[in-house]
Amino acid sequence: MARIVMKFGGTSMAGIERIRSVAARVKREAAAGNQVAVVVSAMAGETDRLVGFCREASPLYDPREYDVVVAAGEQVTSGLLAIALQAIGVPARSWLGWQLPINTDDAFAKARIGTIDTAALDASLAAGEVAVIPGFQGVSADGRITTLGRGGSDTSAVAVAAAMKADRCDIYTDVDGVYTTDPRIVPRARKLAKVTYEEMLELASVGAKVLQTRSVGLAMKEKVRVQVLSSFTGDADGDGAPMADTLPGTMIVGEEEIEDVERQLITGIAHDKNEAKITLTSVPDKPGSVAAIFEPLAAANINVDMIIQNIAHRSSGSTSATDVTFTVPAADLPRSIEALNQARETIGFGELIHDTRVAKISVVGVGMRSHAGVASTMFTTLGARGINIQAISTSEIKVSVLIHEDETELAVRVLHTAYGLDAEEAA
């Protein structure tokens, strides 16, 4: 007997027929003798609808009441799935975040999970019930409903799997695994059998949409084995097509589970058009100037990625000045501009120039630790196709560049080929 957590996203829960299909998949897992907990998202589009209601009611809504409203979407799908399971003979009950409870801090709309009390959950599983848990929600110390931020159901699933010491956490999505890049851009992209936690964390943080970044970080910390599968492969009612859970997905695991990890130079290429570039001109070239730029951004909880400081030049008289360029998430651009303009006198910059027509392209792979020339290959390949690099950032297993957004697909295709990631053509 194994303990399995199955998580289904919004597209998997979009309507009663799809919920019935999910129920059939859960029944197969339970019929195999496993203890099963299911974490569900709201129906596709439902959270956006509820968010819209909050904004319509008041642009300056109370985040505590916002969480009460938007948590309702997952409450609906958890109850409906429990009903669908019962209808096909599977003992099941739903557990809301406050009933277990899933304890979080009080950062409403972006809460973080602290602990999960599994006593009631363990008893339910031992009694042969399937536990259906709404993702995305928890409860604060003072009993208020909290939510984890958009995409938080992935984090809920991993946290539940860690708390109940599950053997595996299966994330069912609208893709059948993690690919070397977006197969809509590169049809010859390959599905990966295994990806390390570190690689998946980097891929998620630089644009891959398969898993939420926080969920991968939590899986790495708690050593939860995560599998990415499609909920749209095969017919759960038995039309003869193979089910997704009988086909190999992609396992997210520790390096120790991957053979010849050093042989694989690059694991994948990600792209992200949700970036904005900001340049501050004529910043005084003196100690503390850069800190004066980024302190107000940090205070506004705005994440800064790529940073470039140009060589100092004479701005007027004998005063030295420099230009500083950096990137922020495109959604945070208005708040970034406001924060910087409010601190303009302290910073002392000349102009603020911003550009949203940019994209970040990243190559990721643990093999970078033991191979030289990864960045050189990237720069040479892009240069040969006339693609200008506007900014660069690196980590131990990642190289990212900023380019014009119109060149995104070309950059992804040529890099995928340059690193030998194209799948072999069928004979």
Side-chain angles (χ1 to χ4, degrees), residues 138-214:
V139 61
S140 67
D142 61 353
R144 301 293 301 245
I145 292 175
T146 59
T147 64
L148 310 183
R150 300 307 294 267
S153 292
D154 284 350
T155 300
S156 297
V158 172
V160 168
M164 62 184 273
K165 297 178 171 55
D167 296 274
R168 193 178 71 243
C169 178
D170 289 343
I171 306 288
Y172 285 83
T173 71
D174 52 4
V175 297
D176 61 350
V178 180
Y179 281 74
T180 49
T181 196
D182 188 338
R184 292 170 298 183
I185 295 177
V186 183
R188 295 180 68 184
R190 292 183 289 109
K191 185 171 71 174
L192 300 163
K194 292 181 179 180
V195 177
T196 68
Y197 294 123
E198 287 182 277
E199 289 171 326
M200 193 66 239
L201 189 60
E202 290 282 17
L203 286 168
S205 69
V206 295
K209 307 299 183 186
V210 179
L211 293 173
Q212 188 205 42
T213 305
R214 280 173 58 187

Side-chain angles (χ1 to χ4, degrees), residues 373-392:
V374 173
S376 175
T377 297
M378 186 180 200
F379 304 153
T380 301
T381 301
L382 295 178
R385 301 306 294 264
I387 299 173
N388 185 49
I389 296 173
Q390 302 179 27
I392 302 168

Side-chain angles (χ1 to χ4, degrees), residues 100-138:
L100 287 175
I102 298 174
N103 300 299
T104 74
D105 60 21
D106 60 359
F108 295 95
K110 52 183 177 182
R112 291 187 174 272
I113 296 173
T115 61
I116 299 178
D117 188 338
T118 63
L121 181 59
D122 289 339
S124 176
L125 295 174
E129 290 182 334
V130 169
V132 185
I133 303 166
F136 180 57
Q137 66 172 244

Side-chain angles (χ1 to χ4, degrees), residues 83-395:
I83 291 171
L85 285 165
Q86 293 166 5
I88 58 175
V90 179
R93 70 152 289 180
S94 60
W95 295 88
L96 300 185
W98 61 268
Q99 291 176 310
L100 287 175
I102 298 174
N103 300 299
T104 74
D105 60 21
D106 60 359
F108 295 95
K110 52 183 177 182
R112 291 187 174 272
I113 296 173
T115 61
I116 299 178
D117 188 338
T118 63
L121 181 59
D122 289 339
S124 176
L125 295 174
E129 290 182 334
V130 169
V132 185
I133 303 166
F136 180 57
Q137 66 172 244
V139 61
S140 67
D142 61 353
R144 301 293 301 245
I145 292 175
T146 59
T147 64
L148 310 183
R150 300 307 294 267
S153 292
D154 284 350
T155 300
S156 297
V158 172
V160 168
M164 62 184 273
K165 297 178 171 55
D167 296 274
R168 193 178 71 243
C169 178
D170 289 343
I171 306 288
Y172 285 83
T173 71
D174 52 4
V175 297
D176 61 350
V178 180
Y179 281 74
T180 49
T181 196
D182 188 338
R184 292 170 298 183
I185 295 177
V186 183
R188 295 180 68 184
R190 292 183 289 109
K191 185 171 71 174
L192 300 163
K194 292 181 179 180
V195 177
T196 68
Y197 294 123
E198 287 182 277
E199 289 171 326
M200 193 66 239
L201 189 60
E202 290 282 17
L203 286 168
S205 69
V206 295
K209 307 299 183 186
V210 179
L211 293 173
Q212 188 205 42
T213 305
R214 280 173 58 187
S215 70
V216 181
L218 181 60
M220 181 166 64
K221 176 177 177 289
E222 300 294 339
K223 293 181 171 55
V224 175
R225 301 177 80 246
V226 176
Q227 182 174 206
V228 178
L229 298 161
S230 171
S231 58
F232 297 97
T233 303
D235 184 350
D237 296 324
D239 67 352
M243 294 285 289
D245 43 17
T246 65
L247 298 173
T250 298
M251 293 296 303
I252 316 299
V253 296
E255 280 190 33
E256 65 277 2
E257 290 196 42
I258 298 181
E259 296 179 2
D260 298 326
V261 69
E262 291 189 347
R263 185 180 300 174
Q264 181 174 286
L265 178 59
I266 297 299
T267 296
I269 298 170
H271 69 282
D272 188 0
K273 292 185 178 181
N274 299 311
E275 293 280 314
K277 181 177 70 170
I278 296 175
T279 298
L280 300 182
T281 67
S282 301
V283 175
D285 184 31
K286 63 181 182 180
S289 290
V290 174
I293 295 172
F294 297 113
E295 282 174 355
L297 296 175
N301 291 317
I302 296 168
N303 293 323
V304 176
D305 186 10
M306 302 174 172
I307 303 173
I308 298 174
Q309 181 171 342
N310 295 334
I311 298 174
H313 56 272
R314 298 291 181 187
S315 60
S316 62
S318 60
T319 304
S320 294
T322 185
D323 297 339
V324 179
T325 298
F326 53 92
T327 62
V328 298
D332 289 335
L333 179 60
R335 292 195 303 123
S336 301
I337 294 172
E338 181 182 9
L340 292 167
N341 280 330
Q342 288 179 351
R344 184 168 192 159
E345 185 174 340
T346 302
I347 300 170
F349 63 86
E351 289 185 87
L352 188 158
I353 304 168
H354 63 273
D355 183 5
T356 57
R357 300 200 66 193
V358 294
K360 180 167 61 178
I361 309 295
S362 305
V363 296
V364 176
V366 292
M368 289 187 194
R369 293 191 182 122
S370 54
H371 291 79
V374 173
S376 175
T377 297
M378 186 180 200
F379 304 153
T380 301
T381 301
L382 295 178
R385 301 306 294 264
I387 299 173
N388 185 49
I389 296 173
Q390 302 179 27
I392 302 168
S393 68
T394 65
S395 73

Side-chain angles (χ1 to χ4, degrees), residues 389-427:
I389 296 173
Q390 302 179 27
I392 302 168
S393 68
T394 65
S395 73
E396 189 178 24
I397 64 169
K398 176 198 72 180
V399 180
S400 297
V401 297
L402 196 71
I403 64 174
H404 194 282
E405 67 174 5
D406 290 347
E407 298 172 318
T408 301
E409 295 191 6
L410 174 61
V412 170
R413 288 196 297 268
V414 298
L415 289 172
H416 198 267
T417 299
Y419 289 110
L421 297 178
D422 290 349
E424 295 293 332
E425 291 190 28

